[in-house]
Amino acid sequence: PAAVSLGVRRVIVLGEAEGHPGLKDLLAATGETTPAKMAPGDLAVILASSGTSGPPKGVRLTHGQIAWAAAAIGESASITPRDVTLALAPWFHVMGFVVELVMPLAAGATVVTMPRFDRDQFLDLMVRHG
């Protein structure tokens, strides 16, 4: 409801939410797609702040802000399409979303994800994916 009240036309969830498609639904879909029409100033996501300067809250980020942040971080990270990264931070926070997910994907790298940190799974993924 909060996203819709801000003018978001379509909400896609990582898990499940009544009345909204999930990421699994999108990945399983077949057929033709229509490219989305968006401008750099259009709202892309609402991420959670850590509450450093007050209570935690939703932070609205535009497509342009995300692209700029991924490009700026990517320049210093030297990620290439040959790299494999492991995404651990929560994707609802800017660290997990931009730094661990968007930036390596924008660079063409492979991103391996974990739903939550588990030491044995972490070590297994490191060995399996290099």
Side-chain angles (χ1 to χ4, degrees), residues 1-9 11 43 46 60:
V4 174
S5 73
L6 292 170
V8 176
R9 293 184 307 263
V11 175
L43 177 65
I46 301 172
R60 302 183 322 173

Side-chain angles (χ1 to χ4, degrees), residues 25-33:
D25 299 322
L26 294 179
L27 294 173
T30 60
E32 293 191 30
T33 60

Side-chain angles (χ1 to χ4, degrees), residues 69-87 98-112 130:
I73 295 165
E75 281 188 32
S76 63
S78 302
I79 302 290
T80 72
R82 295 184 315 274
D83 291 315
V84 178
T85 65
L86 184 58
V98 174
V99 177
E100 291 192 351
L101 188 62
V102 175
M103 185 270 300
L105 289 173
T110 298
V111 178
V112 177

Side-chain angles (χ1 to χ4, degrees), residues 16 54 64 66 83 115 124:
E16 295 180 10
I66 293 169
D83 291 315
D124 178 59

Side-chain angles (χ1 to χ4, degrees), residues 18-56:
E18 184 71 31
H20 299 289
L23 187 56
K24 288 180 183 178
D25 299 322
L26 294 179
L27 294 173
T30 60
E32 293 191 30
T33 60
T34 303
K37 294 179 182 173
M38 66 190 91
D42 289 347
L43 177 65
V45 296
I46 301 172
L47 300 177
S49 79
S50 59
T52 308
S53 62

